[in-house]
Amino acid sequence: MSADLPAGVERRTFDGRERLSTRGQSVYGEPTDADGWRAWDANRSKLGGMLELGMDTGLVGGETVLYLGAASGTTVSHVADFAGPTYAVEFAPRPVRDLVGVAEDRDNLFPLLKDARDPASYAHVVESDVDCLVMDVATRGQATVAVRNRQFLADDGRLLMAVKARSEDVTADPDDVFDDVLDELESTYEILETARLDRFHADHLGIVARPK
């Protein structure tokens, strides 16, 4: 059964097809409608894929969000459309320039040129007790990053994580990689739900978890 979508996320028709959408300025050439809604392309967004698959993200709308691995802002722009304060951490300077442009249309989006592996470098900026930690970090040690950033998450908050198997070990079986990541996460988080995202993103696992 599909989980409820957060307030501010709707299924609307674009080009004759029903798709997820949020209301805001276009960012990556996605279809828009006359009412200001823009299609949320799950093939370009792991969180979009998790919502399309009906995972129970716990999102209701209006959350304070820490987004790790924001890149040029494709997904985090949709998040900022329906969330409250949204902190967007990205390590690479080039995508952050794009991200700053996205933030010009979204007063609640705060780009941070920082390394998600070093949360101390942005702890003075990001408020504590955020409602949701979204993670899409293409680096080795993805579980370690999630554990290190738990400090920002409220005790009743949610971790929404997309694990990219090839970032951990390009030669390993993805299932083995996912098992290792889940084992490490369980030191700090209770795993609520997992789902393969292969319909939209090959060799990715979506994870919903909460702090222990």
Side-chain angles (χ1 to χ4, degrees):
M1 187 176 68
S2 292
D4 291 336
L5 294 173
V9 181
E10 295 186 3
R11 293 189 181 278
R12 296 177 73 90
T13 301
F14 300 87
D15 304 325
R17 187 159 64 93
E18 193 179 74
R19 300 173 64 175
L20 291 175
S21 64
T22 61
R23 203 167 196 167
Q25 291 289 323
S26 177
V27 169
Y28 53 100
E30 69 281 13
T32 57
D33 68 15
D35 295 324
W37 292 84
R38 59 193 190 103
W40 188 345
D41 187 350
N43 291 296
R44 295 183 61 170
S45 168
K46 282 80 168 193
L47 181 59
M50 291 169 71
L51 290 170
E52 282 282 19
L53 293 170
M55 296 186 74
D56 187 359
T57 61
L59 292 168
V60 296
E63 288 88 358
T64 300
V65 176
L66 173 58
Y67 193 109
L68 305 179
S72 297
T74 298
T75 297
V76 79
S77 65
H78 286 290
V79 172
D81 285 347
F82 70 84
T86 303
Y87 300 93
V89 175
E90 173 54 45
F91 178 64
R94 177 68 188 88
V96 169
R97 289 201 289 274
D98 294 334
L99 192 57
V100 168
V102 172
E104 288 175 358
D105 296 317
R106 292 167 174 82
D107 293 340
N108 62 326
L109 179 57
F110 307 107
L112 299 170
L113 177 60
K114 299 290 183 183
D115 186 343
R117 294 170 295 187
D118 181 20
S121 67
Y122 46 88
H124 63 294
V125 179
V126 178
E127 58 192 276
S128 58
D129 295 332
V130 303
D131 301 305
C132 183
L133 175 61
V134 182
M135 236 189 89
D136 181 15
V137 178
T139 183
R140 189 183 291 267
Q142 292 165 87
T144 302
V145 174
V147 169
R148 287 178 182 169
N149 281 273
R150 184 266 177 260
Q151 61 182 288
F152 300 108
L153 194 57
D155 290 340
D156 60 350
R158 287 288 182 275
L159 169 68
L160 306 177
M161 181 175 179
V163 179
K164 183 178 182 180
R166 287 193 292 257
S167 291
E168 294 291 342
D169 187 341
V170 74
T171 64
D173 183 286
D175 286 331
D176 294 337
V177 172
F178 298 147
D179 286 344
D180 289 345
V181 168
L182 290 167
D183 284 346
E184 184 174 347
L185 282 179
E186 285 176 337
S187 67
T188 310
Y189 293 95
E190 177 188 354
I191 309 300
L192 301 177
E193 185 179 2
T194 65
R196 290 286 293 256
L197 305 182
D198 294 82
R199 178 176 149 199
F200 304 105
H201 303 276
D203 299 330
H204 281 74
L205 183 73
I207 299 172
V208 181
R210 65 185 173 201
K212 283 186 171 177

